Amino acid sequence: MDGIQGKMKRSLQYRLSIWLSLAIIGIALAAGVFSFFSAFRDAHELQDDQLKQIAALVSRHHLQVTLADHPESVPDIDPESRVIVQALPPATGSAQAADGQALLLPANVRDGMHTVAVHDHEWRLFAKTLDDGSRIAVAQQTEVRDEVARDSALRTVMPFVILVPVLLILMGVLIRQMFKPLRHLASDLDERSEQNLEPLSATNLPLEIMPFVVAINRLLARVARSVDVQRRFVADAAHELRTPLTALSLQAERLDAAEMSPPAKERLVTLKRGIQRNRMLLDQLLALARVQQTAYGERNAVSIQQVIRQVLEDLLPLAESKQLDLGMISDVDARVAASEMDLKTLLKNLVDNAIRYTPENGRIDLSIKVDEASVVLQIDDTGPGIAVEERERVFDPFYRVLGNDEVGSGLGLSIVKTIADRIGASVALRAASSSPTPGLSVLLTLKRAM
Ligand SMILES: Nc1ncnc2c1ncn2[C@@H]1O[C@H](COP(=O)(O)OP(=O)(O)O)[C@@H](O)[C@H]1O
Ligand SMILES: [Mg+2]
């Protein structure tokens, strides 16, 4: 609960909404109360004026108003809203009003406006002394007057009652709309892969957010530079290590020619194998560093058949040494969007794995399926396959499945993944269903060149 409250307090959108809502409601309330009371007072003044005017009419036209007059009932008019005009006893007369009058008014009412209580009701009355010395009172029940005044005052408040919710909704929508670019920016950043250090687009962003975007872009540029420096360091280190390793391997070759005892020869074989393994590791490291370069290789269109042919040519000796049946089972061709170098490195690593991990006399089948947008290359082998729980991890650098006797660096599938990511391809590992042994089926889905 506290977490949500804390978040609310820190949310600009929430604070803006709350303060603006309070301001709108406060101003509307004040304006409403003011206009209600001023309309209420105006209505009362108008009604007082009407009473005065009636009195003036009676006076000017010398209308007869008798003491015992009863108001006539007018059809269709609420008896409560009637206006009563009645004669008042002279100011010097008896203190009690005469019987039979419509209103039992106190006798010594002074001229002018009064509010008096008669017959359990409040009355507003105007007393006036006429030219001939007689007196009249014009009166009306305050309840009716108040009701009329209240109704007219309420009507002046109505616009506020309608306006406030409309304004509140409008404000909510506007504020949400204004914060939309921020949400978009955040989801944009969230969806990025860690390799994508391209600057954020600043188009259509509010000016207030620009400094952040500019700062984030500067940070991204710094991170990209530092990642680049590190990659270059790995590449340089691998490169630098190659020369001494080549020298070592030459020395070992020379030693091979020399006379030596059988145990020494045996050790020399182990030494040469170690040197060979290190050369392979360095080559793979260099390949990984190359494909990780931030400068993307140009993406032209290459024929997939042509690249496969090159790869098979290179790897055929290895396959033959294990008597593997390695071949293409479809001759469909298509052009894919990738640089030849990238595609070759990628396919070489996949086919190399299939050859290495398939036992002698096994079978490796390559097939291609093409549809409108993509080219799918499937590589099935009859090797041990990869357990489901390992299928994600084998793409990690230096990760190798345990109990694996093959020489390797654990970098092959990392290289494959890196290239696939940058050319917009995807790699899926499955159990090969067609082969009699479990086997691995690699599905490489490439983008077709347009
Ligand atoms: N075709 C395959 N059949 C069985 N296991 C495989 C296959 N390809 C890859 N693997 C497993 O995945 C691991 C990682 O492969 P990779 O990254 O190419 O490294 P490396 O081949 O140098 O060991 C390998 O060690 C191997 O255990
Ligand atoms: Mg490999």
Side-chain angles (χ1 to χ4, degrees), residues 153-398:
L154 276 180
R155 267 193 297 278
T156 66
V157 174
M158 268 326 266
F160 294 107
V161 176
I162 296 167
L163 205 65
V164 167
V166 171
L167 260 182
L168 288 180
I169 292 171
L170 194 73
M171 180 201 70
V173 170
L174 274 179
I175 290 181
R176 268 191 77 79
Q177 204 62 27
M178 280 178 190
F179 279 88
K180 218 173 175 179
L182 262 186
R183 282 197 298 277
H184 274 312
L185 203 65
S187 68
D188 250 20
L189 267 176
D190 268 347
E191 279 164 15
R192 278 183 172 221
S193 75
E194 61 273 21
Q195 271 99 28
N196 186 356
L197 297 176
E198 304 255 303
L200 290 169
S201 145
T203 44
N204 295 334
L205 275 186
L207 280 180
E208 288 79 1
I209 304 175
M210 280 298 273
F212 286 100
V213 175
V214 171
I216 289 174
N217 281 346
R218 275 201 295 262
L219 178 68
L220 281 175
R222 286 202 297 277
V223 172
R225 263 201 302 280
S226 107
V227 168
D228 228 35
V229 167
Q230 275 175 29
R231 280 183 189 150
R232 216 169 306 138
F233 176 79
V234 173
D236 289 350
H239 194 78
E240 289 302 313
L241 281 170
R242 252 158 74 122
T243 324
L245 211 59
T246 312
L248 262 184
S249 118
L250 275 175
Q251 296 293 342
E253 293 295 332
R254 263 197 226 147
L255 208 59
D256 213 12
E259 283 281 316
M260 59 176 87
S261 64
K265 264 246 163 9
E266 219 171 274
R267 276 178 211 154
L268 183 62
V269 171
T270 321
L271 179 70
K272 275 167 71 180
R273 212 177 289 144
I275 293 172
Q276 178 59 19
R277 196 175 295 187
N278 273 316
R279 281 182 69 137
M280 269 174 60
L281 172 62
L282 280 184
D283 283 346
Q284 289 287 71
L285 259 181
L286 268 174
L288 185 61
R290 187 184 63 76
V291 298
Q292 278 180 340
Q293 289 295 320
T294 37
Y296 281 24
E298 87 274 33
R299 230 189 266 176
N300 25 30
V302 277
S303 142
I304 185 151
Q305 282 283 1
Q306 188 192 320
V307 177
I308 289 177
R309 226 173 293 131
Q310 289 176 24
V311 171
L312 291 187
E313 240 164 60
D314 288 353
L315 293 176
L316 216 53
L318 192 62
E320 272 170 358
S321 71
K322 292 176 82 176
Q323 281 100 45
L324 295 176
D325 177 3
L326 167 64
M328 272 303 283
I329 55 171
S330 53
D331 51 10
V332 215
D333 192 12
R335 300 180 78 74
V336 295
S339 78
E340 187 174 335
M341 177 106 141
D342 276 350
L343 193 60
K344 195 172 166 187
T345 313
L346 192 163
L347 294 183
K348 199 167 176 174
N349 274 289
L350 287 180
V351 179
D352 179 79
N353 277 352
I355 296 175
R356 271 180 206 280
Y357 299 109
T358 303
E360 283 186 13
N361 301 312
R363 196 186 151 92
I364 299 165
D365 290 327
L366 281 77
S367 61
I368 297 176
K369 273 201 207 90
V370 177
D371 65 29
E372 257 171 50
S374 56
V375 179
V376 183
L377 170 68
Q378 186 170 345
I379 306 173
D380 290 344
D381 65 40
T382 54
I386 299 179
V388 182
E389 59 275 17
E390 306 261 29
R391 285 186 197 155
E392 286 273 324
R393 296 212 55 196
V394 287
F395 289 103
D396 292 345
F398 302 110

Side-chain angles (χ1 to χ4, degrees), residues 49-68:
D49 288 351
Q50 280 170 352
L51 295 185
K52 285 180 196 162
Q53 273 179 24
I54 293 173
L57 268 178
V58 172
S59 159
R60 189 175 323 139
H61 297 287
H62 305 291
L63 297 177
Q64 269 301 307
V65 180
T66 57
L67 263 178

Side-chain angles (χ1 to χ4, degrees), residues 125-175:
L125 71 83
F126 180 64
K128 185 176 169 72
T129 305
L130 303 184
D131 296 342
D132 59 2
S134 63
R135 303 183 68 219
I136 57 160
V138 184
Q140 192 177 28
Q141 268 190 37
T142 52
E143 261 167 62
V144 190
R145 291 162 43 95
D146 285 351
E147 199 181 304
V148 172
R150 212 177 307 123
D151 283 354
S152 86
L154 276 180
R155 267 193 297 278
T156 66
V157 174
M158 268 326 266
F160 294 107
V161 176
I162 296 167
L163 205 65
V164 167
V166 171
L167 260 182
L168 288 180
I169 292 171
L170 194 73
M171 180 201 70
V173 170
L174 274 179
I175 290 181

